Amino acid sequence: MDEDEEGEEEEDDDEEEEEVEDEQPLDTEASESFELDSPAERSGHIAVVDRNIMYVWGGYKNTQNHGFFDLYLPRNEIWTYNMESGVWTKHVAGGNLHTSMSGSCGVCVDGVLYLFGGHHARGNTNRIYRLPLRAPSLVWEEMRDLKGLPPSCKDKLGCWVQKNKLIFFGGYGYAAKEPHQGTFEYDESSSLVWDSPGRGWNNHIHILDLETSTWTNNSFNFFNFSSFVPGNTPSPRAAHACATVGNRGYVFGGRYKNYRLNDLYYIDLDTWEWHEMSVPQQGPVGRSWHSFTPVSPDHIFLFGGFTTDRETLSDAWLYHVSKNEWKPFKHSHTERPRLWHTACSGPDGEVFVFGGCANNLLSHHRAVSCKSYLNKDTFLYIH
């Protein structure tokens, strides 16, 4: 598993832990489900909603025996959760998905799940797949022969959706071999372990046009990027959270170097201009590995995450878009903190929170034999 990387790698227990932005399992995939009637506990997974069904894929699970490495969840396994009946169902998907992963970016557009990037035992990838969710059977299809310059290999990035375009932002991974507009900040500690060539954080924007099957980024003249104001551009980051509200793509927090941020930006998806929004002193603290979920045309729900001081959070906030106003959200799950979970908006204003890690997953001494990962909780928000 790797954090921003958010993360860090595990070293020998006798050595001092280093922040290397990547803690990862070996090339170890679980051969079968751990539970028969519900998905295995996990973090670093993806979850999307189509109609009233939530689809869960990927991530990894702690082994229950001390000394064993974490296990990636099977690549061909998809779990669905019916938000009306509350029933979990396991599905086996076909196709050519090449490996199990954590930290991938998943988004649903018109009944199709798109899966980009991620981290596996041999590093990062920039492959992209599609999975039609309304077909008679679930079959992964790698999207090949795309035109344009693709993003570099990375994980823990964010995505906005606008006008049949997937707009990816930030992440942690390898430096691009070809020039991308924006900033790549090399993580000097990333090459110290696992024979890594070195990775870092970026603030690149890449757009995949689903109609033309073309990658573009803001070094191209395909869009009018003249309104970009460099001073207002968010810093490189990973393990941040993105939300699309109208024609705005919001991003909150994430990790950059040794800091977990609490800044809030939005990019106007029509003019491509960045805007930094104020966050009050008594607002949410800096964090990474949190969720930021639109719950109405004017509200975004923030939950959980991981602080610079390595505290796992259980607080929740509502961001009022038109007023640029933050308000704490009271809930009954304050004793169940988590990070690297997923959160999906339901049909009646609910937020369905699934999975995640309950403690400091960057620690050598995390309790692998206990329930570090939590199953579904529901936060009710009626807009």
Side-chain angles (χ1 to χ4, degrees):
M1 174 282 310
D2 55 277
E3 203 208 321
D4 299 350
E5 231 279 5
E6 228 265 40
E8 311 176 15
E9 295 276 4
E10 293 190 14
E11 309 252 354
D12 232 319
D13 284 344
D14 296 330
E15 297 180 9
E16 185 176 351
E17 179 178 298
E18 285 202 74
E19 283 217 7
V20 284
E21 283 316 285
D22 206 21
E23 177 188 356
Q24 60 198 25
L26 293 183
D27 189 11
T28 309
E29 177 178 299
S31 60
E32 59 184 18
S33 298
F34 293 85
E35 290 83 12
L36 296 177
D37 58 352
S38 64
E41 300 160 339
R42 67 190 66 201
S43 61
H45 52 291
I46 66 161
V48 301
V49 172
D50 181 46
R51 297 171 174 168
N52 67 328
I53 304 295
M54 181 173 70
Y55 294 79
V56 174
W57 176 86
Y60 66 94
K61 172 187 172 68
N62 277 156
T63 56
Q64 298 301 303
N65 298 311
H66 182 71
F68 284 80
F69 289 92
D70 295 336
L71 298 176
Y72 284 104
L73 278 301
R75 75 191 80 177
N76 64 345
E77 187 176 287
I78 302 282
W79 282 89
T80 57
Y81 179 77
N82 188 307
M83 293 178 169
E84 295 179 354
S85 67
V87 174
W88 283 104
T89 306
K90 176 187 168 183
H91 308 266
V92 177
N96 60 351
L97 186 61
H98 74 297
T99 185
S100 300
M101 292 182 288
S102 65
S104 300
C105 189
V107 63
C108 184
V109 180
D110 296 331
V112 178
L113 165 60
Y114 294 90
L115 179 75
F116 173 77
H119 189 275
H120 50 79
R122 293 168 299 283
N124 289 113
T125 182
N126 67 348
R127 298 189 189 191
I128 186 165
Y129 296 84
R130 65 191 304 273
L131 181 70
L133 301 177
R134 302 174 190 174
S137 59
L138 297 175
V139 179
W140 289 104
E141 308 165 3
E142 184 172 0
M143 298 178 68
R144 299 173 175 171
D145 301 321
L146 298 174
K147 299 181 285 291
L149 179 64
S152 57
C153 298
K154 65 183 76 176
D155 68 338
K156 288 177 295 299
L157 64 158
C159 183
W160 306 296
V161 178
Q162 176 80 343
K163 298 179 180 177
N164 214 30
K165 294 180 176 65
L166 308 183
I167 304 153
F168 297 98
F169 171 72
Y172 183 93
Y174 306 118
K177 295 181 179 179
E178 300 182 62
H180 296 286
Q181 179 143 342
T183 303
F184 175 88
E185 185 74 31
Y186 178 65
D187 177 9
E188 295 181 356
S189 65
S190 66
S191 60
L192 300 179
V193 293
W194 298 95
D195 297 322
S196 169
R199 293 185 288 171
W201 303 268
N202 71 81
N203 63 356
H204 300 157
I205 289 179
H206 291 271
I207 304 102
L208 178 60
D209 189 315
L210 299 177
E211 294 181 354
T212 63
S213 299
T214 301
W215 284 109
T216 58
N217 65 46
N218 59 353
S219 64
F220 287 76
N221 293 323
F222 188 84
F223 296 102
N224 176 18
F225 287 100
S226 60
S227 59
F228 267 70
V229 181
N232 290 342
T233 303
S235 65
R237 64 192 62 207
H240 48 285
C242 290
T244 307
V245 178
N247 67 339
R248 295 180 177 184
Y250 284 86
V251 56
F252 179 84
R255 178 176 173 177
Y256 176 48
K257 297 186 177 179
N258 292 326
Y259 301 98
R260 275 85 182 181
L261 309 168
N262 76 331
D263 52 2
L264 175 69
Y265 290 82
Y266 79 83
I267 186 169
D268 187 307
L269 300 175
D270 294 324
T271 66
W272 303 101
E273 182 178 2
W274 279 110
H275 300 264
E276 183 174 7
M277 309 302 290
S278 61
V279 177
Q281 187 174 3
Q282 300 303 315
V285 299
R287 64 192 70 201
S288 60
W289 277 342
H290 49 289
S291 55
F292 200 41
T293 311
V295 289
S296 84
D298 202 27
H299 294 89
I300 310 175
F301 179 75
L302 171 69
F303 175 65
F306 195 57
T307 71
T308 299
D309 296 328
R310 299 188 176 188
E311 175 190 1
T312 306
L313 298 170
S314 63
D315 61 333
W317 296 78
L318 274 179
Y319 175 65
H320 194 148
V321 172
S322 62
K323 295 181 179 179
N324 185 32
E325 183 176 88
W326 289 93
K327 289 187 177 181
F329 183 85
K330 295 182 179 180
H331 62 88
S332 58
H333 303 279
T334 56
E335 301 303 317
R336 307 189 73 182
R338 65 185 66 197
L339 58 89
W340 223 8
H341 53 281
T342 54
C344 295
S345 181
D348 297 317
E350 313 98 324
V351 176
F352 290 84
V353 176
F354 173 74
C357 186
N359 54 16
N360 177 4
L361 56 75
L362 303 182
S363 169
H364 290 328
H365 306 292
R366 70 176 187 259
V368 296
S369 62
C370 74
K371 288 281 187 180
S372 295
Y373 299 94
L374 307 173
N375 281 332
K376 178 190 68 65
D377 287 335
T378 300
F379 294 90
L380 185 63
Y381 170 70
I382 302 298
H383 54 265

